[in-house]
Amino acid sequence: MNRLLATAVSTAAAALLVAGGAASASAAEPTDDATTKLCSSLTELKADNAKLRELDPATATKDQIEEAHKAVQDDWTTVAKSTAQFKAAHKEAIKNATKDVKKTYDGLPGDTTGAEALTKLTPNLQNLDEAVANAQTGLKCG
């Protein structure tokens, strides 16, 4: 009887641990469709920002930089249109970081080399990456 009770207690404890783990895992994931879409859009923004940051300054052409920059701007447009609950501070930080990338990019002279462009864009791209990461953490994106 004691062994049966001990088994029942340990089984119940294990079930509680599993349930608690499942609750924690689900708490870390977005809770509604709008938040899920926003998390997906932020992930895409972060990925395109990384592609732009990772272009090789020695070989990147201005066209490659322009294409990657356009992807980042398009992603921001998608994020900005999101209807999910999104802390104003996070949205504003991403908006400002994206504007800084655009401003720097738009200010590049026509004869700018890939290396020069990436050197000028890198600080803004790093700020954008941090802003997106902070928003993803705040939204508990998986």
Side-chain angles (χ1 to χ4, degrees):
M1 179 74 165
N2 282 341
R3 194 148 81 145
L4 182 60
L5 182 60
T7 302
V9 168
S10 65
T11 302
L16 285 173
L17 285 174
V18 169
S24 320
S26 66
E29 303 212 356
T31 55
D32 63 30
D33 191 46
T35 302
T36 300
K37 286 179 183 176
L38 176 57
C39 286
S40 177
S41 297
L42 287 169
T43 298
E44 198 167 321
L45 174 58
K46 190 170 186 173
D48 284 339
N49 187 51
K51 287 177 189 174
L52 181 53
R53 287 179 62 196
E54 292 168 1
L55 287 174
D56 183 352
T59 59
T61 65
K62 190 152 186 202
D63 287 342
Q64 289 173 317
I65 294 168
E66 180 179 2
E67 183 179 316
H69 171 260
K70 183 177 179 340
V72 168
Q73 295 303 314
D74 291 346
D75 293 342
W76 162 244
T77 300
T78 302
V79 168
K81 290 179 181 176
S82 173
T83 58
Q85 293 298 326
F86 193 22
K87 285 189 178 176
H90 290 307
K91 191 168 187 175
E92 198 63 26
I94 295 171
K95 176 182 174 183
N96 290 336
T98 305
K99 277 185 175 181
D100 289 345
V101 170
K102 182 172 177 17
K103 183 179 176 183
T104 300
Y105 178 81
D106 288 347
L108 295 172
D111 61 347
T112 302
T113 66
E116 293 167 336
L118 290 172
T119 298
K120 290 184 179 190
L121 286 168
T122 294
N124 300 120
L125 297 172
Q126 288 171 335
N127 289 340
L128 177 56
D129 195 46
E130 289 174 23
V132 171
N134 288 336
Q136 288 175 313
T137 299
L139 288 165
K140 298 180 181 165
C141 298

